[in-house]
Amino acid sequence: MRKLLIIPIMLAILTACQPTPTPKTIDILGDSLTQQAYWNRDAAFLAQGQPPGSDVVFDAWMGNQFHDVQAAETARVNDTEQPRPAIMVIALGTNNALGWTGYWTTSDQQDYDKLLNTPHATTCVVVVLPGFSYKPSIEQKAQEQVSKARSYMKTQALARPKTVVADWGAIARAHPEYTTDDGIHLVDTDAVKNLYAKTIWDGVNSCPA
């Protein structure tokens, strides 16, 4: 019980020491899906709902997990000259839940919680829930682990003030034609890539003022 009380106190102290984020700054932290949606098509991605006048940073790469973006995001949050972001998008979690990384573990939960609580208390966080389409190549355990990750991520997101949940996983499950044979990656069409981008921007534009 003592440890549980110490954690929120420490988070409050850290937040109090953080500089207030620069208005209209948006950091999008993602994996290969985000990369697919914006790589060599930045203008199309932004056209799906970027708030006017906003300054967007993409930190997305193939195989990214929560810990892969942690150090850079912490540095951006604590930048004394231009601290950011006013809005942080977490479009991660799939790789943490798959077999090649050891499936979803308590370490993944801790990494997610750390990233979720990295920005200033005034920052709106958009959590894009991972998911999959039912395809023959998706092993049963991977399905279970991704579902477990989704549940944990949603629960923690809803417990944080100024946090929005955008459910890409629900869209992928309802529309298997949007994903490749692995049930996860986006098919190579502008329509699907734009839909993924729109899912992110809909979350961003739902952030409370």
Side-chain angles (χ1 to χ4, degrees):
M1 178 62 72
R2 187 174 180 181
K3 289 182 179 180
L4 292 175
L5 291 173
I6 290 173
I7 292 173
I9 292 172
M10 291 301 295
L11 288 173
I13 293 173
L14 288 173
T15 297
C17 296
Q18 291 173 335
T20 302
T22 306
K24 295 187 176 182
T25 51
I26 302 172
D27 293 355
I28 299 179
L29 315 177
D31 50 29
S32 56
L33 273 70
T34 303
Q35 186 185 28
Q36 280 186 279
Y38 88 89
W39 191 259
N40 286 330
R41 54 189 318 277
D42 302 46
F45 186 102
L46 298 174
Q48 306 312 307
Q50 178 192 12
S54 59
D55 174 22
V56 182
V57 164
F58 288 98
D59 189 349
W61 196 251
M62 296 177 290
N64 264 1
Q65 301 176 59
F66 303 123
H67 65 79
D68 291 310
V69 300
Q70 182 65 60
E73 190 60 19
T74 298
R76 287 188 284 264
V77 167
N78 294 305
D79 188 323
T80 56
E81 295 185 2
Q82 189 183 30
R84 55 184 306 137
I87 299 175
M88 182 177 78
V89 177
I90 302 177
L92 295 161
T94 301
N95 292 310
N96 295 81
L98 296 179
W100 70 273
T101 64
Y103 298 110
W104 185 257
T105 67
T106 54
S107 292
D108 295 308
Q109 294 178 3
Q110 292 166 0
D111 288 346
Y112 169 68
D113 289 342
K114 182 177 181 180
L115 185 59
L116 179 67
N117 292 291
T118 292
H120 195 273
T122 61
T123 295
C124 176
V125 177
V126 178
V127 175
V128 182
L129 295 180
F132 56 88
S133 301
Y134 288 110
K135 300 287 178 75
S137 61
I138 300 284
E139 62 169 331
Q140 182 63 34
K141 185 169 183 179
Q143 295 179 27
E144 294 169 355
Q145 294 295 300
V146 172
S147 296
K148 185 177 180 181
R150 283 171 49 82
S151 178
Y152 185 86
M153 290 173 65
K154 182 177 181 180
T155 298
Q156 297 300 97
L158 294 177
R160 181 190 182 275
K162 295 201 70 174
T163 303
V164 175
V165 172
D167 198 348
W168 170 255
I171 297 172
R173 184 167 297 190
H175 294 278
E177 70 274 16
Y178 292 170
T179 64
T180 61
D181 288 343
D182 67 7
I184 294 173
H185 291 95
L186 309 178
V187 294
D188 191 19
T189 69
D190 287 336
V192 172
K193 292 174 183 178
N194 287 344
L195 179 60
Y196 186 82
K198 185 177 184 300
T199 301
I200 289 176
W201 291 124
D202 285 351
V204 168
N205 290 309
S206 296
C207 281

